[in-house]
Coordinates of all heavy atoms in Angstrom, one line a residue:
M1 N 0.8 -1.2 0.0 CA 0.1 0.0 0.0 C 0.8 1.2 0.0 O 0.4 2.3 -0.4 CB -0.9 0.0 1.3 CG -2.0 -0.9 1.2 SD -3.3 -0.6 2.5 CE -2.4 -0.9 3.9
W2 N 2.1 1.3 0.6 CA 2.9 2.5 0.7 C 4.3 2.2 0.3 O 5.0 1.3 0.9 CB 2.8 2.8 2.1 CG 3.4 4.1 2.6 CD1 4.1 5.0 1.7 CD2 3.4 4.6 3.8 NE1 4.5 6.0 2.5 CE2 4.1 5.9 3.8 CE3 2.8 4.2 5.1 CZ2 4.2 6.7 4.9 CZ3 2.9 5.1 6.1 CH2 3.6 6.3 6.1
L3 N 4.7 2.8 -0.8 CA 6.1 2.6 -1.3 C 6.8 4.0 -1.1 O 6.1 5.1 -1.1 CB 6.1 2.2 -2.8 CG 5.6 0.9 -3.0 CD1 5.7 0.6 -4.6 CD2 6.5 -0.2 -2.4
T4 N 8.1 4.0 -1.0 CA 8.8 5.2 -0.8 C 9.9 5.2 -1.8 O 10.6 4.1 -2.1 CB 9.4 5.3 0.6 OG1 8.4 5.4 1.5 CG2 10.3 6.6 0.7
L5 N 10.2 6.3 -2.4 CA 11.3 6.5 -3.4 C 12.3 7.5 -2.7 O 11.8 8.6 -2.2 CB 10.9 7.1 -4.7 CG 11.9 7.5 -5.7 CD1 11.5 7.0 -7.1 CD2 12.3 8.9 -5.6
Q6 N 13.6 7.2 -2.7 CA 14.6 8.1 -2.3 C 15.6 8.1 -3.3 O 16.1 7.1 -3.8 CB 15.2 7.8 -1.0 CG 14.2 7.9 0.2 CD 14.8 7.7 1.5 OE1 15.9 7.1 1.7 NE2 14.2 8.1 2.6
M7 N 16.0 9.4 -3.7 CA 17.1 9.6 -4.7 C 18.1 10.5 -4.0 O 17.8 11.7 -3.8 CB 16.6 10.2 -6.0 CG 17.7 10.3 -7.0 SD 17.1 11.0 -8.6 CE 16.8 12.6 -8.2
P8 N 19.3 10.0 -3.7 CA 20.4 10.9 -3.2 C 20.8 11.9 -4.2 O 21.1 11.6 -5.3 CB 21.6 9.9 -2.9 CG 20.9 8.6 -2.9 CD 19.7 8.6 -3.8
L9 N 20.7 13.2 -3.8 CA 21.2 14.4 -4.6 C 22.6 14.6 -4.3 O 23.4 15.2 -5.1 CB 20.3 15.6 -4.4 CG 18.8 15.3 -4.6 CD1 18.0 16.5 -4.2 CD2 18.5 14.9 -6.0
H10 N 23.0 14.4 -2.9 CA 24.4 14.6 -2.6 C 24.8 13.6 -1.5 O 24.1 13.5 -0.5 CB 24.6 16.0 -2.0 CG 26.0 16.2 -1.5 ND1 27.1 16.3 -2.3 CD2 26.4 16.2 -0.1 CE1 28.2 16.4 -1.4 NE2 27.8 16.3 -0.2
T11 N 25.7 12.8 -1.7 CA 26.2 11.9 -0.7 C 27.7 11.4 -1.1 O 28.1 11.4 -2.1 CB 25.4 10.5 -0.7 OG1 25.7 9.7 0.4 CG2 25.3 9.7 -2.0
E12 N 28.4 11.2 0.0 CA 29.8 10.7 -0.2 C 29.7 9.2 -0.7 O 28.8 8.5 -0.3 CB 30.6 10.7 1.1 CG 30.9 12.1 1.6 CD 31.7 12.1 2.8 OE1 32.6 11.2 3.1 OE2 31.3 12.9 3.7
K13 N 30.5 8.9 -1.7 CA 30.4 7.6 -2.3 C 30.7 6.5 -1.3 O 31.7 6.5 -0.4 CB 31.5 7.5 -3.4 CG 31.4 6.3 -4.3 CD 32.4 6.2 -5.4 CE 32.2 5.0 -6.2 NZ 33.1 5.0 -7.4
G14 N 29.7 5.6 -1.2 CA 29.7 4.4 -0.3 C 29.4 4.7 1.2 O 29.5 3.8 2.0
A15 N 29.2 6.0 1.5 CA 29.0 6.3 2.9 C 27.6 6.2 3.4 O 27.5 6.1 4.7 CB 29.5 7.8 3.1
A16 N 26.6 6.4 2.7 CA 25.2 6.3 3.1 C 24.6 5.0 2.6 O 24.7 4.6 1.5 CB 24.5 7.6 2.7
R17 N 23.7 4.5 3.5 CA 22.9 3.2 3.2 C 21.5 3.4 3.6 O 21.1 4.1 4.5 CB 23.6 2.1 3.9 CG 24.9 1.8 3.5 CD 25.5 0.5 4.3 NE 26.8 0.2 3.8 CZ 26.9 -0.8 2.8 NH1 25.9 -1.2 2.1 NH2 28.2 -0.9 2.3
I18 N 20.8 2.5 3.0 CA 19.4 2.2 3.5 C 19.2 0.7 3.8 O 19.8 -0.1 3.0 CB 18.3 2.7 2.5 CG1 16.9 2.4 3.0 CG2 18.5 2.0 1.0 CD1 15.8 3.1 2.3
V19 N 18.6 0.5 4.8 CA 18.3 -1.0 5.2 C 16.8 -1.2 5.2 O 16.1 -0.4 5.9 CB 18.9 -1.4 6.5 CG1 18.6 -2.9 6.9 CG2 20.4 -1.2 6.5
N20 N 16.2 -2.1 4.5 CA 14.9 -2.3 4.3 C 14.5 -3.8 4.4 O 15.1 -4.5 3.5 CB 14.3 -1.6 3.1 CG 12.8 -1.8 2.9 OD1 12.3 -2.5 2.0 ND2 12.0 -1.3 3.8
G21 N 13.8 -4.2 5.2 CA 13.4 -5.6 5.4 C 14.7 -6.5 5.6 O 14.7 -7.6 5.0
G22 N 15.8 -6.0 6.2 CA 17.0 -6.7 6.3 C 18.0 -6.6 5.2 O 19.1 -7.1 5.3
E23 N 17.5 -6.0 4.1 CA 18.4 -5.8 2.9 C 19.1 -4.5 2.9 O 18.5 -3.5 3.0 CB 17.6 -6.0 1.7 CG 18.4 -5.9 0.4 CD 17.6 -5.8 -0.9 OE1 16.4 -6.3 -0.8 OE2 18.0 -5.4 -1.9
S24 N 20.4 -4.4 2.9 CA 21.2 -3.2 2.9 C 21.6 -2.7 1.4 O 22.0 -3.6 0.7 CB 22.3 -3.4 3.8 OG 23.1 -2.2 3.7
R25 N 21.3 -1.5 1.1 CA 21.7 -1.0 -0.2 C 22.5 0.3 0.1 O 22.2 1.1 0.9 CB 20.5 -0.7 -1.0 CG 19.8 -1.9 -1.4 CD 18.6 -1.6 -2.3 NE 17.4 -2.0 -1.7 CZ 16.2 -1.7 -2.2 NH1 16.1 -0.9 -3.3 NH2 15.1 -2.0 -1.5
V26 N 23.6 0.6 -0.8 CA 24.3 1.7 -0.7 C 23.7 2.8 -1.6 O 23.3 2.5 -2.7 CB 25.8 1.5 -1.2 CG1 26.6 2.8 -1.3 CG2 26.5 0.5 -0.3
Y27 N 23.5 4.0 -1.0 CA 23.0 5.1 -1.8 C 24.1 5.5 -2.9 O 25.2 5.6 -2.6 CB 22.8 6.4 -1.0 CG 21.4 6.4 -0.2 CD1 21.5 6.5 1.1 CD2 20.2 6.4 -0.9 CE1 20.2 6.4 1.9 CE2 19.0 6.4 -0.2 CZ 19.1 6.4 1.3 OH 17.9 6.4 1.9
R28 N 23.5 5.8 -4.2 CA 24.4 6.3 -5.2 C 23.7 7.6 -5.7 O 22.5 7.6 -6.1 CB 24.6 5.3 -6.3 CG 25.3 4.0 -5.8 CD 25.3 3.0 -6.8 NE 23.8 2.5 -7.0 CZ 23.4 1.9 -8.0 NH1 24.1 1.6 -9.0 NH2 22.1 1.6 -8.1
E29 N 24.5 8.7 -5.9 CA 23.9 9.9 -6.3 C 23.2 9.8 -7.6 O 23.7 9.2 -8.6 CB 25.1 11.0 -6.4 CG 25.3 11.7 -5.1 CD 26.3 12.9 -5.3 OE1 26.2 13.6 -6.5 OE2 27.0 13.2 -4.5
G30 N 22.0 10.3 -7.7 CA 21.2 10.4 -8.9 C 20.5 9.0 -9.2 O 19.8 8.9 -10.2
K31 N 20.7 8.0 -8.3 CA 20.0 6.7 -8.5 C 19.0 6.5 -7.5 O 19.2 6.6 -6.3 CB 21.1 5.5 -8.4 CG 22.3 5.6 -9.3 CD 21.8 5.4 -10.7 CE 22.9 5.5 -11.7 NZ 22.6 5.4 -13.1
C32 N 17.8 6.1 -7.9 CA 16.7 5.9 -7.0 C 16.7 4.6 -6.4 O 17.0 3.6 -6.9 CB 15.4 6.0 -7.9 SG 15.1 7.7 -8.6
E33 N 16.2 4.7 -5.1 CA 16.0 3.5 -4.4 C 14.4 3.5 -4.0 O 14.0 4.5 -3.5 CB 16.8 3.5 -3.0 CG 18.2 3.4 -3.2 CD 18.7 2.0 -3.7 OE1 17.9 1.0 -3.6 OE2 19.8 1.9 -4.3
V34 N 13.7 2.4 -4.4 CA 12.3 2.3 -4.0 C 12.2 1.1 -3.1 O 12.8 0.1 -3.3 CB 11.5 2.0 -5.3 CG1 10.1 1.8 -5.0 CG2 11.7 3.2 -6.3
Y35 N 11.4 1.4 -2.0 CA 11.3 0.2 -1.0 C 10.0 0.3 -0.3 O 9.2 1.4 -0.4 CB 12.4 0.4 0.1 CG 12.4 1.7 0.9 CD1 11.7 1.9 2.1 CD2 13.1 2.8 0.3 CE1 11.8 3.0 2.7 CE2 13.2 4.0 1.0 CZ 12.5 4.1 2.3 OH 12.6 5.3 2.9
D36 N 9.5 -0.8 0.2 CA 8.2 -1.0 0.8 C 8.3 -0.5 2.3 O 9.0 -1.1 3.1 CB 7.8 -2.4 0.8 CG 6.5 -2.7 1.3 OD1 5.8 -1.9 2.1 OD2 5.9 -3.7 1.0
T37 N 7.6 0.6 2.6 CA 7.7 1.3 3.8 C 7.1 0.4 5.0 O 7.3 0.7 6.2 CB 7.0 2.7 3.8 OG1 7.7 3.4 2.7 CG2 7.2 3.5 5.0
T38 N 6.3 -0.6 4.6 CA 5.6 -1.4 5.6 C 6.6 -2.3 6.3 O 6.3 -2.9 7.4 CB 4.5 -2.1 5.1 OG1 4.9 -3.1 4.0 CG2 3.3 -1.2 4.6
Y39 N 7.8 -2.5 5.7 CA 8.8 -3.2 6.4 C 9.7 -2.4 7.2 O 9.8 -1.2 6.9 CB 9.7 -4.0 5.2 CG 9.0 -5.1 4.5 CD1 8.5 -4.8 3.3 CD2 8.9 -6.4 5.1 CE1 7.9 -5.8 2.6 CE2 8.2 -7.4 4.4 CZ 7.7 -7.1 3.1 OH 7.1 -8.2 2.5
S40 N 10.3 -3.0 8.2 CA 11.2 -2.3 9.0 C 12.4 -1.7 8.1 O 12.9 -2.3 7.2 CB 11.9 -3.3 10.0 OG 12.9 -2.6 10.8
H41 N 12.6 -0.4 8.3 CA 13.6 0.3 7.5 C 14.3 1.3 8.3 O 13.7 2.0 9.2 CB 12.9 0.9 6.3 CG 11.8 1.8 6.6 ND1 10.6 1.4 6.9 CD2 11.8 3.1 6.5 CE1 9.8 2.5 7.1 NE2 10.6 3.6 6.9
Y42 N 15.5 1.7 8.0 CA 16.2 2.9 8.5 C 17.3 3.2 7.5 O 17.8 2.4 6.6 CB 16.8 2.5 9.8 CG 17.8 1.4 10.0 CD1 19.1 1.6 9.7 CD2 17.3 0.0 10.1 CE1 20.0 0.5 9.9 CE2 18.1 -1.0 10.2 CZ 19.5 -0.8 10.0 OH 20.3 -1.9 10.1
T43 N 17.8 4.5 7.7 CA 18.9 4.9 6.8 C 20.1 5.4 7.7 O 19.9 5.7 8.9 CB 18.5 6.1 5.9 OG1 18.1 7.2 6.7 CG2 17.5 5.7 5.0
F44 N 21.3 5.4 7.2 CA 22.4 5.9 8.0 C 23.4 6.5 7.0 O 23.5 6.1 6.0 CB 22.9 4.9 9.1 CG 23.5 3.7 8.4 CD1 24.9 3.5 8.2 CD2 22.7 2.5 8.2 CE1 25.3 2.3 7.6 CE2 23.1 1.4 7.7 CZ 24.4 1.3 7.4
N45 N 24.3 7.3 7.6 CA 25.4 8.0 6.9 C 26.7 8.0 7.6 O 26.7 8.5 8.7 CB 24.9 9.5 6.6 CG 25.9 10.2 5.8 OD1 26.7 9.6 5.1 ND2 25.9 11.6 5.9
E46 N 27.6 7.4 7.1 CA 29.0 7.2 7.8 C 29.9 8.2 7.2 O 31.1 8.2 7.5 CB 29.5 5.8 7.8 CG 28.6 4.8 8.4 CD 29.1 3.4 8.1 OE1 29.6 3.1 7.1 OE2 28.9 2.6 9.1
G47 N 29.5 9.2 6.4 CA 30.4 10.1 5.7 C 30.6 11.3 6.6 O 30.0 11.4 7.6
E48 N 31.6 12.2 6.1 CA 31.9 13.3 6.9 C 30.9 14.5 6.5 O 30.7 15.3 7.3 CB 33.3 13.8 6.3 CG 34.4 12.8 6.8 CD 34.5 12.8 8.3 OE1 34.5 13.8 9.0 OE2 34.8 11.6 8.8
S49 N 30.2 14.5 5.4 CA 29.3 15.5 5.0 C 27.9 15.0 5.0 O 27.7 13.8 5.0 CB 29.6 16.1 3.6 OG 29.4 15.1 2.7
E50 N 27.0 15.9 5.2 CA 25.5 15.6 5.2 C 25.2 15.0 3.8 O 25.7 15.4 2.8 CB 24.7 16.9 5.4 CG 24.8 17.3 6.9 CD 23.8 18.3 7.2 OE1 22.7 18.4 6.5 OE2 24.0 19.2 8.0
R51 N 24.1 14.1 3.8 CA 23.6 13.6 2.6 C 22.3 14.3 2.3 O 21.6 14.8 3.3 CB 23.3 12.1 2.6 CG 22.2 11.7 3.7 CD 22.1 10.2 3.6 NE 21.4 9.7 4.8 CZ 20.0 9.7 4.9 NH1 19.3 10.0 3.9 NH2 19.5 9.4 6.0
V52 N 22.1 14.6 1.1 CA 20.8 15.2 0.7 C 19.9 14.3 -0.2 O 20.5 13.8 -1.1 CB 21.1 16.6 -0.1 CG1 19.7 17.2 -0.6 CG2 21.9 17.5 0.8
V53 N 18.7 14.0 0.2 CA 17.9 13.0 -0.4 C 16.6 13.5 -0.8 O 15.9 14.1 0.0 CB 17.8 11.7 0.4 CG1 17.0 10.7 -0.2 CG2 19.2 11.1 0.8
L54 N 16.2 13.3 -2.0 CA 14.7 13.6 -2.4 C 13.9 12.5 -1.9 O 14.3 11.2 -2.2 CB 14.6 13.6 -4.0 CG 13.3 13.6 -4.6 CD1 12.6 15.1 -4.1 CD2 13.2 13.6 -6.1
H55 N 12.9 12.6 -1.2 CA 12.1 11.6 -0.5 C 10.6 11.8 -1.0 O 10.0 12.8 -0.9 CB 12.1 11.8 1.0 CG 11.3 10.7 1.7 ND1 11.9 9.7 2.3 CD2 9.9 10.7 1.9 CE1 10.9 9.0 2.9 NE2 9.7 9.6 2.7
V56 N 10.1 10.7 -1.6 CA 8.7 10.7 -2.2 C 7.9 9.5 -1.7 O 8.5 8.4 -1.8 CB 8.6 10.8 -3.7 CG1 7.2 10.9 -4.2 CG2 9.4 11.9 -4.2
D57 N 6.8 9.6 -1.0 CA 5.9 8.5 -0.7 C 4.8 8.3 -1.7 O 4.2 9.3 -2.1 CB 5.3 8.8 0.7 CG 6.3 8.7 1.9 OD1 7.3 8.0 1.7 OD2 6.1 9.4 2.8
F58 N 4.5 7.1 -2.0 CA 3.5 6.7 -2.9 C 2.5 5.8 -2.1 O 2.8 4.8 -1.6 CB 4.0 5.9 -4.1 CG 5.0 6.7 -4.9 CD1 6.3 6.6 -4.8 CD2 4.4 7.5 -5.9 CE1 7.2 7.3 -5.5 CE2 5.4 8.2 -6.8 CZ 6.8 8.1 -6.5
W59 N 1.2 6.2 -2.2 CA 0.2 5.3 -1.6 C -0.7 4.7 -2.8 O -1.0 5.5 -3.8 CB -0.7 6.1 -0.7 CG -0.1 6.7 0.4 CD1 1.2 6.6 0.8 CD2 -0.8 7.3 1.5 NE1 1.4 7.2 2.0 CE2 0.3 7.7 2.4 CE3 -2.1 7.7 1.7 CZ2 -0.2 8.3 3.7 CZ3 -2.4 8.4 2.9 CH2 -1.4 8.7 3.8
N60 N -1.1 3.5 -2.7 CA -1.9 2.8 -3.7 C -3.4 3.1 -3.4 O -4.0 2.2 -2.8 CB -1.6 1.4 -3.8 CG -2.2 0.7 -5.0 OD1 -3.1 1.3 -5.7 ND2 -2.0 -0.6 -5.3
W61 N -3.8 4.3 -3.6 CA -5.2 4.6 -3.2 C -6.3 3.8 -4.0 O -7.3 3.4 -3.3 CB -5.5 6.1 -3.6 CG -4.7 7.1 -2.9 CD1 -3.5 7.7 -3.2 CD2 -4.9 7.6 -1.5 NE1 -3.1 8.5 -2.3 CE2 -3.9 8.4 -1.2 CE3 -5.9 7.2 -0.6 CZ2 -3.8 9.1 0.1 CZ3 -5.8 7.9 0.7 CH2 -4.9 8.8 1.0
K62 N -6.0 3.3 -5.1 CA -7.0 2.5 -5.9 C -7.3 1.2 -5.3 O -8.4 0.7 -5.5 CB -6.6 2.4 -7.4 CG -6.5 3.7 -8.1 CD -6.3 3.4 -9.6 CE -6.4 4.7 -10.4 NZ -6.2 4.5 -11.8
E63 N -6.4 0.6 -4.6 CA -6.6 -0.7 -4.0 C -7.0 -0.6 -2.5 O -7.2 -1.6 -1.8 CB -5.3 -1.5 -4.1 CG -4.9 -1.8 -5.5 CD -5.9 -2.6 -6.2 OE1 -6.5 -3.6 -5.6 OE2 -6.1 -2.4 -7.5
M64 N -7.3 0.6 -1.9 CA -7.6 0.8 -0.6 C -9.0 1.1 -0.4 O -9.6 1.8 -1.1 CB -6.7 1.9 0.0 CG -5.2 1.6 0.0 SD -4.2 3.0 0.4 CE -4.6 3.2 2.2
E65 N -9.6 0.5 0.7 CA -11.0 0.9 1.1 C -11.0 2.2 2.0 O -9.9 2.6 2.3 CB -11.5 -0.3 2.0 CG -11.4 -1.6 1.2 CD -12.5 -1.7 0.2 OE1 -13.6 -1.0 0.4 OE2 -12.2 -2.4 -0.8
G66 N -12.1 2.8 2.2 CA -12.3 4.0 3.0 C -11.5 3.9 4.4 O -10.9 4.9 4.7
E67 N -11.7 2.8 5.2 CA -11.1 2.7 6.5 C -9.6 2.7 6.3 O -8.9 3.3 7.2 CB -11.6 1.5 7.2 CG -13.0 1.7 7.8 CD -13.5 0.6 8.6 OE1 -12.7 -0.3 8.9 OE2 -14.7 0.5 8.9
E68 N -9.0 2.0 5.3 CA -7.6 1.9 5.1 C -7.0 3.2 4.7 O -6.0 3.7 5.3 CB -7.3 0.9 4.0 CG -7.7 -0.5 4.3 CD -7.5 -1.4 3.1 OE1 -8.0 -1.1 2.0 OE2 -7.0 -2.5 3.3
I69 N -7.8 4.0 4.0 CA -7.3 5.4 3.7 C -7.2 6.2 4.9 O -6.3 7.0 5.1 CB -8.2 6.1 2.6 CG1 -8.1 5.2 1.2 CG2 -8.0 7.4 2.3 CD1 -9.0 5.6 0.1
D70 N -8.3 6.2 5.7 CA -8.3 6.9 6.9 C -7.1 6.6 7.8 O -6.5 7.5 8.5 CB -9.7 6.7 7.7 CG -10.8 7.4 7.0 OD1 -10.7 8.2 6.1 OD2 -12.0 6.9 7.3
V71 N -6.8 5.3 7.9 CA -5.7 4.9 8.8 C -4.4 5.4 8.1 O -3.6 5.9 9.0 CB -5.7 3.3 9.0 CG1 -4.4 2.9 9.6 CG2 -6.9 2.9 9.8
M72 N -4.3 5.3 7.0 CA -3.0 5.8 6.3 C -2.9 7.3 6.5 O -1.8 7.8 6.8 CB -2.9 5.4 4.8 CG -2.8 3.9 4.6 SD -1.2 3.2 5.3 CE 0.0 4.0 4.3
K73 N -3.9 8.1 6.4 CA -3.9 9.5 6.6 C -3.5 9.7 8.0 O -2.7 10.6 8.3 CB -5.2 10.1 6.3 CG -5.6 10.3 4.9 CD -6.9 10.9 4.7 CE -7.3 11.0 3.2 NZ -8.6 11.5 3.0
Y74 N -4.0 9.0 9.0 CA -3.6 9.1 10.4 C -2.1 8.8 10.6 O -1.5 9.6 11.3 CB -4.6 8.3 11.2 CG -4.2 8.2 12.7 CD1 -4.5 9.4 13.5 CD2 -3.6 7.2 13.3 CE1 -4.2 9.4 14.8 CE2 -3.2 7.2 14.6 CZ -3.6 8.3 15.4 OH -3.2 8.3 16.8
V75 N -1.7 7.8 10.1 CA -0.3 7.3 10.3 C 0.6 8.4 9.6 O 1.6 8.8 10.3 CB 0.0 6.0 9.5 CG1 1.4 5.6 9.5 CG2 -0.7 4.9 10.3
Y76 N 0.2 9.0 8.5 CA 1.1 9.9 7.8 C 1.0 11.2 8.6 O 2.1 11.9 8.8 CB 0.6 10.2 6.4 CG 1.6 10.8 5.5 CD1 2.6 10.0 5.0 CD2 1.7 12.2 5.3 CE1 3.6 10.5 4.2 CE2 2.6 12.7 4.5 CZ 3.6 11.9 3.9 OH 4.6 12.4 3.2
E77 N -0.1 11.6 9.2 CA -0.1 12.8 10.0 C 0.7 12.6 11.3 O 1.6 13.6 11.7 CB -1.6 13.1 10.5 CG -2.4 13.6 9.4 CD -3.9 13.7 9.7 OE1 -4.2 13.5 10.8 OE2 -4.7 14.0 8.8
L78 N 0.8 11.5 11.9 CA 1.7 11.1 13.0 C 3.1 11.3 12.6 O 3.9 11.8 13.4 CB 1.4 9.8 13.6 CG 0.1 9.7 14.5 CD1 0.0 8.1 14.9 CD2 0.1 10.5 15.7
K79 N 3.4 10.7 11.4 CA 4.8 10.8 11.0 C 5.2 12.2 10.8 O 6.4 12.6 11.2 CB 4.8 10.0 9.6 CG 6.2 10.1 8.8 CD 6.1 9.4 7.5 CE 7.3 9.5 6.7 NZ 7.4 10.8 6.1
E80 N 4.4 13.0 10.2 CA 4.7 14.4 10.0 C 4.9 15.2 11.3 O 5.8 16.0 11.5 CB 3.6 15.2 9.2 CG 3.5 14.7 7.8 CD 4.9 15.1 7.0 OE1 5.3 16.2 7.1 OE2 5.3 14.2 6.3
K81 N 4.1 14.9 12.4 CA 4.2 15.5 13.6 C 5.5 15.0 14.4 O 6.2 15.8 14.9 CB 3.1 15.1 14.6 CG 1.8 15.9 14.1 CD 0.6 15.5 15.1 CE -0.6 16.3 14.6 NZ -1.8 15.9 15.4
F82 N 5.8 13.7 14.2 CA 7.1 13.2 14.8 C 8.4 13.8 14.2 O 9.2 14.4 14.9 CB 7.1 11.7 14.6 CG 8.3 11.1 15.1 CD1 8.6 10.9 16.4 CD2 9.4 10.7 14.2 CE1 9.8 10.3 16.9 CE2 10.6 10.2 14.7 CZ 10.8 10.0 16.0
E83 N 8.2 14.0 12.8 CA 9.4 14.6 12.2 C 9.5 16.0 12.5 O 10.6 16.6 12.7 CB 9.4 14.3 10.6 CG 9.6 12.9 10.3 CD 9.4 12.5 8.9 OE1 8.9 13.5 8.2 OE2 9.7 11.4 8.5
G84 N 8.4 16.7 12.7 CA 8.3 18.2 13.0 C 8.9 18.4 14.4 O 9.6 19.3 14.7
A85 N 8.5 17.5 15.3 CA 9.0 17.5 16.7 C 10.6 17.4 16.7 O 11.3 18.0 17.5 CB 8.4 16.5 17.6
E86 N 11.1 16.5 15.8 CA 12.5 16.3 15.8 C 13.2 17.6 15.4 O 14.3 17.9 15.7 CB 12.9 15.2 14.9 CG 12.7 13.8 15.3 CD 13.2 12.7 14.4 OE1 13.0 12.8 13.2 OE2 13.7 11.7 14.9
R87 N 12.5 18.3 14.3 CA 13.1 19.5 13.9 C 12.8 20.8 14.8 O 13.4 21.8 14.6 CB 12.5 19.8 12.5 CG 12.9 18.9 11.4 CD 12.4 19.3 10.0 NE 11.0 19.6 9.9 CZ 10.1 18.7 9.6 NH1 10.5 17.4 9.3 NH2 8.8 18.9 9.6
G88 N 12.0 20.6 15.8 CA 11.6 21.6 16.8 C 10.5 22.5 16.2 O 10.4 23.6 16.7
S89 N 9.8 22.1 15.2 CA 8.8 23.0 14.7 C 7.3 22.6 15.1 O 6.4 23.2 14.7 CB 8.7 22.8 13.0 OG 8.6 21.5 12.7
Y90 N 7.2 21.6 16.1 CA 6.0 21.4 16.7 C 6.1 21.7 18.3 O 7.0 21.6 18.8 CB 5.5 19.9 16.6 CG 4.8 19.7 15.3 CD1 5.4 19.3 14.2 CD2 3.4 19.9 15.3 CE1 4.7 19.0 13.0 CE2 2.7 19.6 14.1 CZ 3.3 19.2 13.0 OH 2.7 19.0 11.8

């Protein structure tokens, strides 16, 4: 129901990774990584400089029922609030 695309715009070669469902992949500038957000996932950067990543979430609205859509909206709102709190904007 929920896929995520991340494309590194700036990263040190071999320094940043994404782990999704136990599979580890190295970020490569300009190369997209698409993964299923419903699996356990995290990213990390072992480089000296910050990484810059384009992040896009895709929801499969056509295959979802009304209650599923409501739950996904709620989950996404919680995610936004959590990330806002991390940035100090909530």
Side-chain angles (χ1 to χ4, degrees):
M1 285 191 299
W2 187 353
L3 294 177
T4 298
L5 174 141
Q6 290 189 342
M7 183 177 73
L9 303 175
H10 173 76
T11 185
E12 291 178 41
K13 190 172 182 176
R17 295 180 174 274
I18 180 167
V19 178
N20 178 247
E23 179 185 340
S24 178
R25 293 184 245 169
V26 175
Y27 279 120
R28 295 172 294 158
E29 272 190 33
K31 301 293 181 183
C32 295
E33 294 291 341
V34 177
Y35 58 94
D36 185 339
T37 309
T38 59
Y39 290 99
S40 174
H41 59 281
Y42 59 93
T43 60
F44 60 96
N45 180 20
E46 298 175 325
E48 296 293 321
S49 65
E50 289 188 29
R51 65 181 164 89
V52 178
V53 177
L54 172 67
H55 178 106
V56 180
D57 289 329
F58 298 95
W59 295 6
N60 188 355
W61 294 100
K62 289 185 177 185
E63 297 297 321
M64 296 171 71
E65 301 288 329
E67 287 182 11
E68 292 171 319
I69 292 170
D70 292 341
V71 169
M72 289 301 288
K73 286 180 181 178
Y74 175 73
V75 168
Y76 202 80
E77 287 170 5
L78 285 178
K79 175 182 174 283
E80 291 295 312
K81 287 180 182 178
F82 176 78
E83 290 173 351
E86 283 186 321
R87 292 186 303 269
S89 59
Y90 271 96

